[in-house]
Amino acid sequence: MKLLENISKFAGNTFAIWVIIFAIMAFFIPSGFTWIAPHISLLLGIIMFGMGLTLSVDDFKGIVKAPKSVFIGVLAQYTIMPLLAFALANLFQLPPEVAVGVILVGCCPGGTASNVMTFLAKGNTALSVTVTAVSTILAPIMTPSLTLLFASKWLPVSAGDMFLSIVQIVLIPIVLGVVIRLLFQKQVDKSMKVLPLLSVVGIVLVASAVVAVNKESIATTGLLIFSVVILHNVLGLLLGYLLAKILKLDFQDQKAISIEVGMQNSGLGSALALAHFAPVAAVPSALFSVWHNISGPLLATWWGKRSSKGQ
């Protein structure tokens, strides 16, 4: 068990490196990874189940303790990123499938990696966890509705089918995880340190599969999509921070909301894109997964060092 814990800690600390390495491998040796694509929804369900195991009633107490900060975080999550995605899709005149893919990842809830990044940045980790949990619980309603609103200009969107998909691969696994933790808390707490390994392996496999399936599209339009993804992420981080600052939240909350807004659940974006649109629509989510696991640690490290110097 100790060995698994050490491996899990190492994998969590080097998450970005593994995403990049396997994405590159999938691009050059796609046949080794395409078999994963049909199992992306299952992988995401396992990741969400792991997230459910980490949640407790205390994670939702932030709604009562700091309702203003939680409301701002969730509102920013579901306004800034979808609006940015819509603006970038129009500005760069993206092909329909790619435009929908960018908008889809923008309409997803925050990713669990944001909690780790907030901790490293010495931000308000409790707020980050609460905002991630609330935005994820709201995802079955918010993600299909916003995708329908912003993406139907390019392609038909079935909000009802997306709702069912998110319930199946996000909501049900999370609820199961929460219930199992309530019933078997001691056993779950003992294995808590191994859970990051589950998330790392899952996200790495999802990103690799999407890259492998879309090798040709990435080769021809990858630079354009990657440029849009970088802008989407960086502007999300910046606008999330500025909004929290304008609304006079403290610096720890500003950092948490910035990271929450900028780091999306790109695994969910990939799964929904493959299930409801063309495979190329999953490319923005895959590249987002690669990029935000570079920008997130860089920003978190910089903020963390600044906090240490300040102290």
Side-chain angles (χ1 to χ4, degrees), residues 110-225:
T112 52
S114 61
N115 308 147
V116 179
M117 293 306 112
T118 302
F119 174 76
L120 295 175
K122 294 182 168 60
N124 187 339
T125 307
L127 172 62
S128 176
V129 171
T130 303
V131 172
T132 298
V134 173
S135 67
T136 302
I137 297 298
L138 292 175
I141 300 296
M142 298 304 296
T143 299
S145 302
L146 291 170
T147 305
L148 177 64
L149 176 65
F150 290 110
S152 54
K153 169 184 173 180
W154 286 275
L155 290 175
V157 177
S158 175
D161 289 346
M162 286 182 63
F163 168 81
L164 291 175
S165 292
I166 298 172
V167 168
Q168 289 169 358
I169 62 181
V170 175
L171 202 58
I172 292 174
I174 285 178
V175 170
L176 283 174
V178 170
V179 169
I180 286 176
R181 182 172 184 181
L182 285 171
L183 295 175
F184 307 102
Q185 187 167 353
K186 288 183 180 179
Q187 292 88 333
V188 170
D189 287 345
K190 286 179 182 177
S191 61
M192 197 67 72
K193 291 181 180 178
V194 180
L195 288 178
L197 180 61
L198 194 70
S199 295
V200 170
V201 171
I203 291 296
V204 167
L205 289 176
V206 169
S208 303
V210 174
V211 170
V213 169
N214 292 284
K215 178 187 174 178
E216 300 303 324
S217 299
I218 292 171
T220 54
T221 61
L223 186 59
L224 171 64
I225 301 173

Side-chain angles (χ1 to χ4, degrees), residues 230-247:
I230 291 173
L231 275 173
H232 194 193
N233 170 247
V234 171
L235 289 172
L237 292 167
L238 176 63
L239 292 176
Y241 170 75
L242 290 176
L243 178 66
K245 189 177 181 68
I246 290 167
L247 294 174

